[in-house]
Amino acid sequence: VDYKYIKNKEEGFKLLKDAQKSKYFSLDLETTSLDPWRGLPICASISTKIRQGRVFNFFDKRVPEDKVDWVWTKEFAQALYNLIHSGVLIYGQNLKFDLHYLDIQYFRIVLGKRLNIWKINFREVLLMSMLLDENISKALKEQAQMYTDIMYDKRILDMIESGRILELTVEERLCYSASDSDATLRVGLIAQKRLKIEEDGVLWKLF
């Protein structure tokens, strides 16, 4: 797999430009809490192709050399805002939650404006999966194990579930976050293909 950290603004803007030129990309956000009014965004991951993930940090006090000031500039925030509203198809697992988090804890702070969910072209991977099988697990990790070869480390999952994501090493967080966006894209593409085939495409027409 090709999972990497975005460590400076040049790499950050290149990532956004590449995503802008692609037919689609997946977006995933890691946070400190399920409550966007109380928590903070930790890092985001974008995948423009399968087996790939690019991660950038919003903050990382544990790694002094991993500077994130450029992420909080109006220039980068505006470029990310424009990408999300560009019309390029975004795949996400519970994406509305991630967008709501970014809206409250990032765009309102840096740009002083909100995301417009009605102008964002996205597909909810969980919804597509549940159309195929209403009994499927809502957990991305289990869907990934069902449809892909992505394997998650149980120790890392246990730490995430217990709210200890900030205790992960830099490499552990990279692998976890990039795996999420990669899994989202892979499961989304597989589910979309199946929806177009099964029942002569009747289910796909719901989209």
Side-chain angles (χ1 to χ4, degrees):
V1 292
D2 179 18
Y3 296 164
K4 295 179 180 177
Y5 262 123
I6 300 297
K7 296 184 178 180
N8 54 57
K9 66 179 181 180
E10 289 77 19
E11 292 180 358
F13 282 111
K14 182 180 184 304
L15 169 65
L16 300 187
K17 288 181 180 178
D18 289 345
Q20 184 91 45
K21 295 176 182 178
S22 65
K23 293 182 179 179
Y24 48 72
F25 64 92
S26 61
L27 173 65
D28 187 77
L29 184 69
E30 307 302 338
T31 67
T32 60
S33 170
L34 293 177
D35 184 350
W37 294 102
R38 296 175 180 271
L40 293 170
I42 297 174
C43 61
S45 180
I46 291 177
S47 294
T48 58
K49 60 184 71 173
I50 64 173
R51 301 183 183 280
Q52 178 223 63
R54 296 291 182 267
V55 179
F56 58 88
N57 285 317
F58 287 95
F59 78 91
D60 191 344
K61 296 179 180 179
R62 297 176 67 247
V63 187
E65 68 270 21
D66 190 7
K67 299 179 180 179
V68 297
D69 290 347
W70 58 272
V71 176
W72 292 91
T73 63
K74 287 188 176 180
E75 186 180 12
F76 182 79
Q78 187 63 58
L80 180 58
Y81 184 94
N82 292 343
L83 171 63
I84 291 173
H85 288 92
S86 67
V88 177
L89 179 60
I90 307 174
Y91 288 91
Q93 178 86 348
N94 202 10
L95 184 62
K96 290 178 71 175
F97 169 83
D98 289 349
L99 294 176
H100 186 50
Y101 223 107
L102 286 173
D103 176 53
I104 293 173
Q105 291 291 351
Y106 183 62
F107 291 117
R108 294 193 203 184
I109 295 172
V110 182
L111 299 178
K113 59 183 178 181
R114 303 184 59 178
L115 291 173
N116 188 338
I117 191 70
W118 304 112
K119 293 186 177 181
I120 299 173
N121 182 22
F122 72 94
R123 290 197 180 129
E124 177 53 58
V125 173
L126 176 58
L127 176 58
M128 291 195 291
S129 297
M130 292 186 71
L131 281 174
L132 289 167
D133 181 359
E134 67 274 17
N135 297 313
I136 196 171
S137 170
K138 294 183 179 180
L140 174 64
K141 285 67 179 172
E142 293 186 25
Q143 293 179 38
Q145 290 181 357
M146 182 181 301
Y147 293 119
T148 76
D149 59 357
I150 295 175
M151 300 295 292
Y152 287 87
D153 186 304
K154 186 179 183 304
R155 183 185 65 83
I156 293 177
L157 290 180
D158 289 342
M159 291 180 68
I160 297 291
E161 291 175 4
S162 62
R164 298 161 57 203
I165 187 171
L166 291 177
E167 296 179 27
L168 296 178
T169 67
V170 174
E171 288 305 314
E172 287 173 337
R173 195 189 314 165
L174 167 65
C175 184
Y176 176 80
S177 182
S179 293
D180 270 3
S181 64
D182 185 18
T184 297
L185 185 59
R186 290 205 228 178
V187 174
L189 292 174
I190 291 171
Q192 177 177 302
K193 183 177 181 179
R194 288 185 57 191
L195 283 170
K196 289 182 176 181
I197 296 173
E198 295 192 12
E199 303 295 335
D200 294 324
V202 171
L203 293 175
W204 178 246
K205 292 179 181 178
L206 293 175
F207 283 88

